[in-house]
Amino acid sequence: MPDLPIPENIADHEFLANTPPRKHRDPGSYPKAVPHTPPLRDPDLEWVESSLAAMTVEQKVGQLFVCSMASTDVGVPESQIQSYNLGGFVFLGNSQSAANVVERVNSLQALSPFPLWFAIDSEAGLGARVADATIFPLLMAFGATGDPNLTELCGRITARESRALGLQITFGPVVDVNTEPINPIISTRAYGDRPDAVGFVAKGYLQGARAEGILGTLKHYPGHGASEGDSHSSLPTITVSLDEMESVHLRPYRLLAGGGSVDMVMTAHVWYSQVEPGTPWPATLSPRFCKDILRGEIGYDGLLISDAYDMVGLTLAVPDPAERGVIGIEAGIDVILGPANSEVGAIWQGVVDAVNSGRISEERLDESVRRVLIAKSRAGLPEQRTVDPGLWSTVLDHPEHRAIVRRVCEKACTKVFDRTGGASFIEEQDRVLALVLTPSQRIFYRFGMETFQAKLSELHGDTTYQTVSRTIGANARATLVAQAQGYGKVIVIGSDWTVINSSNQISLLNELAGVGVPVAYVGFGAPYQIRPVTAVDAFYCGYATVPEMQEVMAEVLVGARAAEGRLPVSFDDIAPLPIPSAIMLH
């Protein structure tokens, strides 16, 4: 599959070549007990109604915006608060500093006449965005554990660390059912490919997040998992039948969103052609999806927030920003997320004008603003607008949190198959050749393989490492194949988070599989990576490159521990993780 262009300025997530190595603080610098935060509370409806009654139309419209804030946006949020009375902001970037987030939260709260709320995209823990925080493996690893207790702990830790920075919203969990193996944007961000199993583990995350005071978000409604395209750079077409849409992709929302225990649902900029036949039309702007199905049939009564409003999947459908904003509100959206800074004014003015002209009734506007204020109150606003700047250092990346990450990795690491028949793939007498594939640059987050190499060298010293370029040619492949015959075992290590999209590297793997030396593919990304590789002797999958998974994988390969995970997706003759017979979702 050819490399795809990397989109710029995206809010739902960003791409990073290599995540910088993390340096943990001395465990002695933390309190022994992690400071917890209060759960979400019942809303103060008196404050909600009095605040709503005191607002002008212009102020009400401002509450419907959560704008993007990158570290380089100096002065922009301040002017947006002054001009538009915005509802809040989402922090962008993969390596925010905790101190900077706290400073921005406190300074912006002081400028706003209404309490702001702040969000971050923390599907895999706050550390995927904030360099000082705890980072978990991507969600498919949790699917491989099959354990909602672990997703609940992830939700708790993410909420606890987020609230220590003054954040009230986590854009997680992902409940997309990843039925398309070449999906370029969901893949290992999904728990798996079966809706009941996805709902089973996602509920744990929601419960944990809400128990420690943060608003959770189911995404990307009505499902991005069957897509072959990326809504950041296109409007993907999803052609599944109505029956499949209902029984697979809508199923997690029916399981989770109808009982009043979900705070937000985020829409997807995808076109379900069987629902909206004719002109391609994103679900975000579809009354059928937003009103009829989600609110009418499923009974969801919480906030409906768009995916980022500057994504191509939306701007292709409605190029005019003012009209795009109005159509979204008309379709049923409550919150407009991440419009381009250059378009905030046009979208805001477009909605104000639509209310003043009667195109959007003030009752319809009040409906969304009331939901916003209720959710803000549930998260403790306006009473706690700012945060203690010294709190985060006692909470973020706490040793207890890192221990949970380690346990997730132990329970997720999967021996998909090993046909060598030994107690472990690498045995004491083996000389090992380890080939590290250079990954694509199109990545959610990635750590380098230094931790894996260090741990494997500690456990099994007789290992030679070589890096394999994405563009390796036939002559270089032949040299490596000849070299491999002098070793007892070969391991090929991949860390792309979706599929291996270098045909040269795939050719090398298939050529190595024919030399008579046992070859294992060790993947720290999607299990779908094995599909184009026809004859390796073993396949081990770790789903993510977090350092803890790298350590666990090295231990599994040498037999120091068992691989506890089971595949959360189905393909070929490999059995998926079983779903418990009784799934209590409500």
Side-chain angles (χ1 to χ4, degrees), residues 290-490:
C290 296
K291 292 180 179 178
D292 299 347
I293 297 176
L294 187 62
R295 296 213 186 274
E297 297 177 17
I298 294 176
Y300 174 65
D301 61 1
L303 274 163
L304 188 56
I305 184 169
S306 73
D307 206 341
Y309 238 63
D310 63 348
M311 289 165 60
V312 174
L314 206 59
T315 61
L316 274 178
V318 185
D320 178 69
E323 187 67 7
R324 195 185 321 138
V326 172
I327 291 174
I329 302 302
E330 288 178 327
I333 294 294
D334 297 309
V335 176
I336 293 171
L337 172 66
N341 284 335
S342 62
E343 295 185 342
V344 171
I347 297 174
W348 177 86
Q349 190 64 57
V351 177
V352 169
D353 290 346
V355 175
N356 288 334
S357 70
R359 178 177 172 182
I360 295 174
S361 69
E362 193 160 357
E363 290 76 15
R364 167 68 190 92
L365 177 62
D366 287 353
E367 179 183 290
S368 288
V369 178
R370 184 175 285 108
R371 288 193 185 107
V372 168
L373 295 175
I374 286 172
K376 285 185 173 184
S377 181
R378 289 183 60 77
L381 295 169
E383 292 84 354
Q384 187 179 359
R385 291 177 58 154
T386 58
V387 65
D388 177 359
L391 177 60
W392 71 262
S393 63
T394 69
V395 178
L396 270 62
D397 204 32
H398 193 284
E400 284 188 17
H401 297 175
R402 297 201 300 271
I404 300 301
V405 176
R406 168 74 188 199
R407 181 58 191 137
V408 172
C409 294
E410 290 172 350
K411 199 163 182 182
C413 188
T414 303
K415 179 172 72 174
V416 184
F417 62 82
D418 188 337
R419 303 185 181 106
T420 60
S424 60
F425 182 77
I426 297 174
E427 298 177 306
E428 187 176 354
Q429 72 277 9
D430 288 332
R431 287 187 71 223
V432 178
L433 176 61
L435 302 176
V436 182
L437 303 182
T438 300
S440 73
Q441 297 303 301
R442 200 166 195 286
I443 195 81
F444 185 65
Y445 71 77
R446 183 183 67 244
F447 292 91
M449 288 292 107
E450 293 83 3
T451 301
F452 176 79
Q453 293 184 27
K455 189 64 177 180
L456 186 58
S457 295
E458 172 193 326
L459 297 171
H460 188 85
D462 194 1
T463 304
T464 300
Y465 297 93
Q466 291 194 37
T467 299
V468 178
S469 159
R470 289 173 43 77
T471 58
I472 183 171
N475 291 340
R477 295 200 305 269
T479 299
L480 276 180
V481 168
Q483 183 182 349
Q485 296 178 41
Y487 288 84
K489 298 284 173 60
V490 176

Side-chain angles (χ1 to χ4, degrees), residues 144-179:
T145 73
D147 188 348
N149 294 316
L150 291 176
T151 51
E152 181 178 2
L153 287 168
C154 177
R156 282 183 177 275
I157 290 167
T158 301
R160 190 181 303 156
E161 295 190 349
S162 297
R163 292 313 304 262
L165 300 186
L167 308 174
Q168 295 84 21
I169 302 168
T170 173
F171 290 143
V174 175
V175 291
D176 294 317
V177 182
N178 198 76
T179 56

Side-chain angles (χ1 to χ4, degrees), residues 22 93-95 121-122 124-130 134-136 444-445:
R22 301 293 174 94
N94 296 70
S95 54
D121 194 37
S122 45
L126 187 63
R129 297 300 186 201
V130 178
T134 304
I135 188 167
F136 283 89
F444 185 65
Y445 71 77

Side-chain angles (χ1 to χ4, degrees), residues 530-569:
I530 200 64
R531 290 166 62 91
V533 181
T534 56
V536 293
D537 300 282
F539 174 37
Y540 291 78
C541 192
Y543 310 98
T545 58
V546 291
E548 292 84 354
M549 186 66 81
Q550 295 186 38
E551 290 187 345
V552 169
M553 182 67 78
E555 293 167 5
V556 166
L557 289 172
V558 301
R561 70 168 49 255
E564 300 182 44
R566 287 283 302 278
L567 272 181
V569 297

Side-chain angles (χ1 to χ4, degrees), residues 64 124 147 220 249 253 264 291 328 337 357 478 487 489 502 586:
L64 308 187
D147 188 348
H220 306 82
H249 301 286
Y253 297 94
M264 290 189 178
K291 292 180 179 178
L337 172 66
S357 70
Y487 288 84
K489 298 284 173 60
S502 165
H586 294 299

